[in-house]
Every structure is written in C-alpha cells, then in structure tokens.
Amino acid sequence: MITIDGRPVPAQGTVLDACRAAGVPVPTLCHDPRLSPGGHCRACLVQMDGAWVAACHTPARDGATVRTDLPELREYRRDLGELMLAESAPAGLAREHVARWGADGARYAHRPRPAVRDHTHAHVRLDLDRCILCRRCVRACEEIQGAFALAVEGRGAATRLAWGGGAFADGTCVACGACLTVCPSEALTSHDTAPHFRDVRVTRTTCGECSVGCAIVVHVTDGPDERVSHVEAAGLDAPNRGHLCARGRFAHHAIEPGERLTQPLVRRNGALEPASWDEAIVAACEGLHSPRGAGAIGSARATGEELYLLQKFARGVLGTNDVDTGSRLSHAPSDVAFREAFGAAAATASFDDLERADVLMVTGADPDAAHPVLAARLRQAALAGATLIVVDPRRTPLAELADVHLAVRPGANVPLLNALACTLLEEDLVDHAFLESHVAGLDVYAPFVRRHTPERWQDVTGVPAATLRRAARLLGRAQRPWFAHGLGVTEHRQGTDTVRLLANLALLTGAVGREGTGVLPLRPEANAQGALDAGAEPGRLPGGARVDDAAARARVLEVWGRPVPEREGRPLDAMLAAARAGELGALLVLGEDVLRSAPDARCAREALESLGGLVVMDSVLTPTATWAHVVLPIADAFERDGTLTSAERRVQRVRRALDPPGDARDGVRVLLDLFAACRWPQSLETPADVLADWARTWPEGAGLSHARLDRGGLAWPVPDAAHEGSPRLAAPAARARLACVDFERSPEMRGTLALLLGQRFEHAAGRAGSADRDGGEWLELHAEDAAERGVDEGDRVRVRSEHGEALVRARLSPRLRRGTAYLSFRDSGRAAGALAGSGRDRETGCPEYKLVAIEIEHADG
Ligand code: SF4
C-alpha cells in the first residue's frame, strides 16, 4: 500500500495513479493517459518520503508516504504559474490551473516569447504566444499518429515549438487533430473549437467515412441553425482508442446546408419539380413497377438497416435478386477467396490483434490514405517492435517504415506470393501442426509451389530473390502473423487468385483462429461488410447464404411471409448493361452515385437515360439524381439511427445527432413508406425493429439488437442474446484447401508505363476539405520516367491508354518505382474513368484498376 495524504491505497502504477485512486487531485498539464509519461511541466510535483518527485512518472512504491498539499508545494505551484505567465499567455486548462495556484503575473518581469502565429493550415491554428512547452502535442503527434510533424527546438528562452521550415500547412501534418485534443493552453486550436455557439447536445455515434468504424462524439450547437460544431473521439476502449483522422474529425464541413435536398422532387414535363411526400411515394412506386423489371442499388455508406430493407424490397416487392451496392465489386475477390478458405466473407482477425502480432504484412493497401486511424495503429505497432512487411508498387507512408518493402511490379502479385510460399516450404518455415489439423491438399500444393522460386520470378516481380526470401523468413519465423490487404490485391485480372494466395500464406503460417493472428480485408466504404451481411448482393441472402440454398430461402420465407426468387440476380454493371439493352426498366437507388461508382461512366449514363423509372434516395442532388424521375430526400450521416459494420465485423450503432433539414426523412422511414405504397406494409416502425427482423434471417447475427449495441459494438458471430461476440473467427471445421494458382500475365503489362488508379490522401480527406490544397487531378510519375519524356513538375500531360485519353498535370513522386504512374479517382474520376480498361477479374468482374498500360506526352508544346 501507499499512503496519499493519509489515505492508504494499493501501490499500483505511478504516484499519480495512486493519488487518483485515493481521490486526491493533483494538477497535471503534460500528462495524458494515451501518452508515455513526460514529466515536462512539473505541475504534478508531490512529496514522497521527504523528496519532491513528479507524480506522473514516478512508480508508486509500497510503504511510501506521499503529501500533495504542503504549503511549500502550494508556493512552488504558484511560482510555476508566475513563470508561465512571464513567458506566455496560456488559455484554457493551463490558465485555469495558473489562476487556481494564485499566480497573477506580478512576480516576474514579463518576457514573452515571440508571438509566432501560423494560421495557414486548413484545420490547425498555432498561436505560440500561448504555448507553455509541455510537449503534449509533440508526443501526441509521435505516439498516436506517428507523423512527427511537430518538435521542440532551441534552448533556454529561445525554446519553441517547431515544424520544420516554412508554413505549417506545407509540413508533414496529416490533420488528424491529435495535437488539438491534448493542448492544455490553446496554443493549438481548430476553427471547429472556436466557441461561437453553445453546445446543446452531444451524441455518441460511429464515423461513417471508412471501415475502421471509429467511435465519435458529435457536438451540436444552438446557433441560428442547429448544426454540428465539432466532432471528437469517444472512449479509449473503442477501435480508434481516442484517435481520429482528418475525415472523421472534419468531414462534417463537407456538405454546405444549401446543397442538401430538403423536399421530394418529381419529374414533370422533363424537369424535376417539388412535390409532397405522398405524391413522391406514389410516383416512386408507380415508376418502379416496370414491365421490363426493376432492380435496386444501394451504397455501402448506408446503414445496415437501410440496406436490409432495400434488399427486402427488391426481393419481396420487385421480385428480383437484382440488388447490389456500388463498391461491392472492389472486394468481391476477397469474399470469394475467404469463403473458400475460412468459411466467411469477412475478416478472421480484429484490429486489436495487430497489437498482439509480431509480424504484420500489409499487401496492396495504403491505410494512410484510406483507413488512417488503422494506419496510425499499424505504425505504432511497428515502432513498438513488430516486424512490418509491406507489399506495394508504391513507397506508401507505411512502406517507408517497413522492415521489408516488396515493391512489386504492378500485375505481378501472383508470382510474388507464390515465391513467398515456395520459400516457406523450401526452408521448412510452415506450421506443421496447423496444416495437419486444418488444411487439405498439401500433397498436391507442395510440389506445385516449390517450382515458384524467388529466383525464377525476380525479374517478373521486380523484387530481388534475396529480398523475397528475407520477407518469407520473417513471416515463417513469426509466432503471430497478421495480414491485411486492400484494393491493390483485388483490383487485378487475377484478383480472386491473389487473395487465395494470401489465404495460402495465412494457412501455411497457421495464422487463423489464434490471438494476434488473422487476415483482414481493408474494405474502403464504412459499411461494406454490413452490406454483405444485410444481403445487399445479387447472389446472397442476409447473413451470406446463397440464394439457391433452399433452406436459407425457407428461413427468409418464414420471417417475411414472402418467397425469395431462386435465380441469382445481376450485379450492378450487369443491371446497367441490361438497362441499356432495354431489358431492365426501373431502378431504386439508395445513396449511391452510380455515375461515379460504375466502372464505365458513359455506359452508366446511357443506362440511366434508358430507364422508364429511376427513383433516387439521397441527401444531395448527385449527378445520378439529376437523371431521376423521383428524388426522395433522406437523412445524412449524423441524422440517422442504425448500425454500421466495420472491417473487423464489428456492428456498431450510429445515432441521430440532429434532424435532417427541411422535409428530408430518415431512409428507413422512406423505405417503409415505399413498402406500404407498394402493397406490402411492414409491421416495422424503427431502425431497431428493422435490425430485429434482419437478425431473425441471419443465424450469426441472431443475438444482435439495438439495445445490446447501445452498450458497445459487437463483432459477429453473435448467435444469441447471451453471446459476447467474436473478435476472432475460429479456424473452420472443414479443412481448407491450399490453392494452386499459376501466373497469367495481364495484357496491360505490355506497356512501358503501368498506371495504378487509386485513392490519394488529399482525395481521402477531400470531403473534409482537409489538406486539400492541390486542386485537380495529378498524374504522379517517377522523376526518371518524366525526364525521359521531357516532362517536369506541374506540366500538362496527355495520358493515353488503349481505352481513352485524359489531360492532367504531372507531379514527380518519390513514392513510385520506375515504370509506374499513379492517378487518383478524384474529381468524379473523369481522367481515371477515361483511361481504365475493360479488364476484369475472371471470377467476380472486379475491374483491373491497378494496372493500365499507358503512354504520356507533353501537352503544352
Ligand atoms: Fe472515420 Fe475512418 Fe478516419 Fe476513423 S479512420 S475517423 S472511421 S475516416
């Protein structure tokens, strides 16, 4: 025990922890539970056994006696406050402490630091006259985000916060805002935290910007129009551990109130005109009843409840399995390969597992762009000692930190992964016990893969054999390997095969069903997993059962009282093709801008033009909605109730923080109105009712309910109401088969320049308006490729592929390997859409976006 001001408490953690356990307040300025103890500010000095110590980083010692409120400590704190006031003008918590200590700035001559201000950044304002040099922001930047954008430089009176030369906006800050959350003196503030309005309501919900599923708290003000004032991270127990990225923190700025749809629109005499809800719902119902048939397209940003109702409407009212979501194809290869190997189209691992892993392998993914908070966790795990292997043609921010970066040539994933597996077997680095109990087909697979040596494939992959062998040895010697992959794996002609080869690596290393191991597909959209679980796909019912599974259809029939069509439906691009061919007459579109997400924007526009009935439910008038016959305005991210399911299968609540504007309505309400108008009224009233209905059709989600999820997210399977959830999937009962996959060279590998189409950080943060200083689309090029073609930074270049051409500006990038170029899907992906080819993954139709043969020329001369 340790005695704090006469109160005995267990001697656990630091003296500060013991003081807090004893209920004795000790002031802190540089301390934060997420950060390593700093001991910089000295505000927490206490007396322990006669000596003065910093409580925040002194271990609590058994038998010690601590005094926190001695007259000399009070005098010391007042003096500390006086020194702060002599050198700075702190605000916020620091100011409150200083006042409480009795300091008034009268003791010492005022010798303020230079009032350095930097307001260049879109979100972070620096007012260094308030800085008390507690270094909390520096440590948060390093220890939470790993961006190293801030430092302390100088000595004595010249000591100051620094960010390299030039404007802060031009530094390495990624606008995550971690520094804003820890600064105690308001030296770092955001425009969001400017206290124009008083908060009237705070609501805990889930970020809907990507599939990490960060827990957030939304603050709503009482200004002239109720609006979101700012967003902060919720709880250290959530997947984001109190952290957020730029999108999560600032995306609420993205849509101006004037852009929102506030009343239903019905097309009359060729123009969309305001209508009442009754008129619009009747018109929608009539429009969807086409003699040529109708289908439904949802967005993987919609809630699970909306998507469940959408597919129920398609199957039960429209009588079709033609239902899909815009982004499903991008990870369909993962779904097929994971179902084969692990029995579920979902991650087997959790995010928490990555911190228990000793080797992390990230393939074809740039989490800093698409899943930033996960990137921060990966970076911290690597900095803490985990081995990091990154497979990517680009030197992504994570690759910079990797122990081994396999900069594979675009299109050569298959030989690279085979070569890794070959080395594991050749050098006997496989998990024999796991293989014996859980895997079949090793007798066929082993001789097959032993032919795929790193030496055989080094010229094709562009990775030296020695580097490949080094990566394989790190992987093979791991106790707990953890795998994640992204679109750089799936968006290839052999996308499904490539995921099969990743599954092979997981099986060979026994990385299934154990703590700290597993595989995790990094799906881009917030509810891509939830869309699959809701059955918003043409071949699968809620819970993932096939539509031709008679028992699954019977289960749904029992719940719905209506049969489900037996024949597999058409995916999104086939629905659009059918519409163009006059074989599909109507579409119900929920929150998806089809013109943006379809692989071929021109064909998509012709398809929409051909429809006799296009009903669009959305919160803004998207390009797709401008073609609609009926537009139904629905609630946006912070205005709805329901659930989102993250990339780790965690079902989490989203909650309404404010009302939708004007006459806009909750999407669930609108869908239920459509059911009623189409003569299949539902007895469901609320999103909670909808989840209850959904759970009855989904055995692995049977234990889910809004009431349970209100106490915290749950990773499925949750088979009953008493089940605690499943952060990790067990190895499947059936033996997994190791896949023998031969390399098939894509015709797009023929060119001298291989273009990758993907997401860039500025794009990812685009809805946040964050760090979005570039404008337009940029083609990133290796400096030598550019010089060979007489192209310099900022030049306009004409990019030609076999499929089209585009004019963009060139940017020289050190992230690319020679012979590759990179273009983001920014600006509705016009350039990317023009250049992308018709190559598809044979099994799923996933477009070959990560490899287009191009040539470029200077466009200005
Ligand atoms: Fe939102 Fe994803 Fe950023 Fe988390 S990482 S705050 S879920 S965008």
Side-chain angles (χ1 to χ4, degrees):
M1 301 294 274
I2 185 170
T3 305
I4 312 288
D5 289 346
R7 289 172 226 180
V9 291
Q12 286 168 358
T14 62
V15 172
L16 183 63
D17 295 331
C19 291
R20 291 189 171 161
V24 172
V26 171
T28 58
L29 285 170
C30 71
H31 177 75
D32 187 287
R34 290 174 295 169
L35 306 176
S36 58
H40 299 296
C41 74
R42 318 305 284 176
C44 67
L45 282 198
V46 296
Q47 190 196 70
M48 184 161 83
D49 293 341
W52 284 19
V53 297
C56 70
H57 68 110
T58 303
R61 204 175 55 237
D62 221 12
T65 300
V66 172
R67 300 293 307 273
T68 70
D69 203 26
L70 297 170
E72 54 268 42
L73 282 170
R74 285 202 293 277
E75 179 52 26
Y76 159 77
R77 285 182 198 128
R78 182 179 163 210
D79 204 48
L80 185 69
E82 294 287 1
L83 284 167
M84 271 185 209
L85 292 178
E87 294 176 337
S88 62
L93 179 70
R95 183 89 215 181
E96 285 170 27
H97 276 334
V98 164
R100 203 172 300 129
W101 297 337
D104 58 8
R107 182 171 289 183
Y108 300 112
H110 196 44
R111 44 178 206 290
R113 295 193 196 94
V116 176
R117 291 192 173 174
D118 187 309
H119 292 186
T120 56
H121 193 280
H123 299 297
V124 181
R125 293 185 308 196
L126 295 131
D127 294 286
L128 295 201
D129 49 330
R130 294 179 181 167
C131 176
I132 58 170
L133 289 173
C134 70
R135 294 169 169 80
R136 239 163 121 168
C137 56
V138 177
R139 286 183 293 138
C141 191
E142 290 175 10
E143 296 178 23
I144 298 175
Q145 178 59 35
F148 300 92
L150 291 165
V152 169
E153 67 174 23
R155 287 170 162 267
T159 309
R160 52 160 282 198
L161 194 63
W163 47 87
F168 185 58
D170 295 329
T172 58
C173 172
V174 296
C176 72
C179 56
L180 300 170
T181 67
V182 295
C183 177
S185 67
E186 296 187 6
L188 283 80
T189 52
S190 129
H191 301 290
D192 274 7
T193 47
H196 300 308
F197 303 110
R198 189 170 54 85
D199 284 355
V200 290
R201 204 165 47 248
V202 293
T203 307
R204 180 171 168 144
T205 182
T206 303
C207 176
E209 293 291 316
C210 87
S211 60
V212 178
C214 297
I216 55 174
V217 174
V218 177
H219 293 248
V220 172
T221 70
D222 67 347
D225 296 311
E226 202 175 71
R227 67 180 182 92
V228 175
S229 68
H230 65 285
V231 171
E232 60 186 14
L236 298 181
D237 53 340
N240 45 320
R241 306 267 174 82
H243 189 37
L244 290 180
C245 76
R247 274 182 288 164
R249 206 178 290 282
F250 302 116
H252 60 93
H253 291 303
I255 299 179
E256 295 295 327
E259 294 176 54
R260 291 293 304 276
L261 286 165
T262 55
Q263 61 190 129
L265 305 170
V266 172
R267 191 170 294 278
R268 296 188 187 103
N269 302 318
L272 284 170
E273 293 178 356
S276 71
W277 269 106
D278 286 348
E279 287 171 318
I281 291 287
V282 168
C285 191
E286 285 171 356
L288 290 171
H289 279 96
S290 163
R292 287 179 282 153
I297 295 170
S299 161
R301 294 172 66 96
T303 64
E305 288 75 358
E306 289 171 323
L307 290 162
Y308 171 77
L309 284 183
L310 184 78
Q311 61 83 35
K312 186 174 183 178
F313 187 86
R315 293 183 163 119
V317 174
L318 305 178
T320 178
N321 283 315
D322 286 355
V323 57
D324 206 353
T325 50
S327 62
R328 185 186 60 84
L329 271 190
S330 66
H331 258 290
S334 307
D335 303 335
V336 170
F338 276 25
R339 277 183 176 122
E340 285 171 5
F342 310 118
T348 69
S350 71
F351 295 145
D352 285 354
D353 278 317
L354 76 90
E355 276 128 16
R356 298 170 190 136
D358 56 353
V359 173
L360 306 163
M361 180 163 154
V362 178
T363 306
D366 182 2
D368 284 273
H371 302 85
V373 166
L374 180 68
R377 286 183 69 171
L378 286 164
R379 191 174 288 111
Q380 294 307 332
L383 290 171
T387 298
L388 178 62
I389 300 169
V390 171
V391 185
D392 203 293
R394 301 172 71 221
R395 191 166 169 77
T396 59
L398 214 53
E400 282 175 6
L401 197 69
D403 295 271
V404 186
H405 173 207
L406 303 176
V408 60
R409 179 168 292 150
N413 284 336
V414 164
L416 181 134
L417 295 174
N418 271 336
L420 290 179
C422 169
T423 309
L424 292 178
L425 278 164
E426 264 186 357
E427 303 192 12
D428 195 19
L429 297 169
V430 297
D431 184 334
H432 290 286
F434 184 85
L435 289 174
E436 275 163 30
S437 54
H438 292 100
V439 173
L442 189 62
D443 51 334
V444 177
Y445 174 76
F448 166 83
V449 84
R450 278 177 192 276
R451 296 198 294 272
H452 295 271
T453 62
E455 290 72 20
R456 174 181 170 191
W457 290 116
Q458 61 184 347
D459 290 342
V460 172
T461 61
V463 181
T467 311
L468 278 166
R469 286 194 180 274
R470 181 166 170 243
R473 285 172 194 143
L474 289 171
L475 197 56
R477 290 179 187 140
Q479 299 298 309
R480 295 173 305 283
W482 183 95
F483 301 81
H485 71 272
L487 304 183
V489 167
T490 55
E491 289 182 341
H492 278 287
R493 215 167 273 241
Q494 281 190 280
T496 304
D497 278 342
T498 311
V499 185
R500 287 188 178 111
L501 297 190
L502 280 172
N504 281 357
L505 292 182
L507 295 170
L508 289 169
T509 54
V512 187
R514 285 190 293 128
E515 185 169 296
T517 69
V519 292
L520 199 142
L522 288 171
R523 303 174 192 277
E525 306 277 11
N527 201 27
Q529 182 65 56
L532 297 180
D533 303 339
E537 57 172 322
R540 303 265 170 179
L541 296 170
R546 294 171 59 96
V547 292
D548 59 7
D549 176 340
R553 282 204 318 283
R555 185 169 59 234
V556 174
L557 172 65
E558 194 181 327
V559 178
W560 292 0
R562 279 202 182 187
V564 172
E566 184 177 344
R567 210 182 61 183
E568 183 162 337
R570 290 171 285 198
L572 185 150
D573 52 352
M575 278 191 260
L576 295 178
R580 280 176 77 213
E583 292 160 6
L584 184 80
L587 269 179
L588 172 60
V589 177
L590 166 66
E592 183 68 31
D593 189 355
V594 176
L595 290 178
R596 186 182 171 124
S597 57
D600 186 329
R602 188 178 54 83
C603 292
R605 201 184 60 249
E606 288 173 11
L608 298 188
E609 275 181 286
S610 315
L611 292 168
L614 174 60
V615 178
V616 173
M617 298 170 59
D618 215 314
S619 60
V620 295
L621 195 68
T622 60
T624 298
T626 61
W627 291 93
H629 301 95
V630 181
V631 179
L632 305 172
I634 58 169
D636 202 18
F638 296 153
E639 302 158 358
R640 58 192 184 173
D641 273 302
T643 56
L644 299 175
T645 305
S646 71
E648 56 171 355
R649 288 175 285 103
R650 183 170 298 278
V651 188
Q652 303 186 112
R653 284 280 279 120
V654 288
R655 297 181 183 84
R656 177 184 280 221
L658 72 173
D659 292 334
D663 279 345
R665 289 182 179 173
D666 190 83
V668 163
R669 176 74 263 146
V670 174
L671 284 161
L672 290 173
D673 288 346
L674 281 174
F675 273 98
C678 295
R679 298 202 187 89
W680 190 23
Q682 302 288 301
S683 57
L684 315 169
E685 289 283 332
T686 64
D689 298 340
V690 176
L691 177 58
D693 197 59
W694 175 11
R696 289 171 65 207
T697 64
W698 174 20
E700 291 179 310
L704 293 169
S705 69
H706 277 209
R708 285 196 77 192
L709 296 172
D710 279 336
R711 298 195 290 275
L714 289 168
W716 63 259
V718 189
D720 57 62
H723 197 279
E724 296 289 316
S726 311
R728 201 168 302 113
L729 290 185
R735 283 174 178 267
R737 189 160 287 279
L738 291 158
C740 299
V741 175
D742 269 315
F743 174 47
E744 293 167 26
R745 182 181 283 270
S746 166
E748 299 288 345
M749 287 180 87
R750 66 183 176 272
T752 52
L753 263 184
L755 175 68
L756 296 103
L757 299 168
Q759 228 178 14
R760 202 171 59 204
F761 173 73
E762 291 89 342
H763 170 69
R767 286 197 66 194
S770 155
D772 198 1
R773 306 184 289 275
D774 303 68
E777 281 179 295
W778 292 83
L779 181 78
E780 293 180 22
L781 288 168
H782 189 282
E784 290 173 29
D785 289 325
E788 244 173 41
R789 292 158 176 85
V791 171
D792 214 337
E793 174 87 15
D795 288 351
R796 263 175 9 125
V797 291
R798 189 179 308 282
V799 188
R800 284 202 179 88
S801 75
E802 200 173 69
H803 323 282
E805 63 176 59
L807 277 176
V808 289
R809 294 211 174 268
R811 165 176 287 170
L812 307 188
S813 170
R815 296 205 179 279
L816 292 167
R817 53 169 293 145
R818 188 90 202 272
T820 57
Y822 187 80
L823 182 72
S824 75
F825 280 103
R826 192 194 175 86
D827 193 20
S828 301
R830 273 199 296 273
L835 295 167
S838 54
R840 297 279 185 273
D841 173 49
R842 190 175 45 236
E843 291 169 72
T844 63
C846 178
E848 187 182 31
Y849 281 147
K850 292 296 183 280
L851 178 57
V852 184
I854 57 162
E855 201 34 87
I856 60 168
E857 63 183 31
H858 215 289
D860 289 330

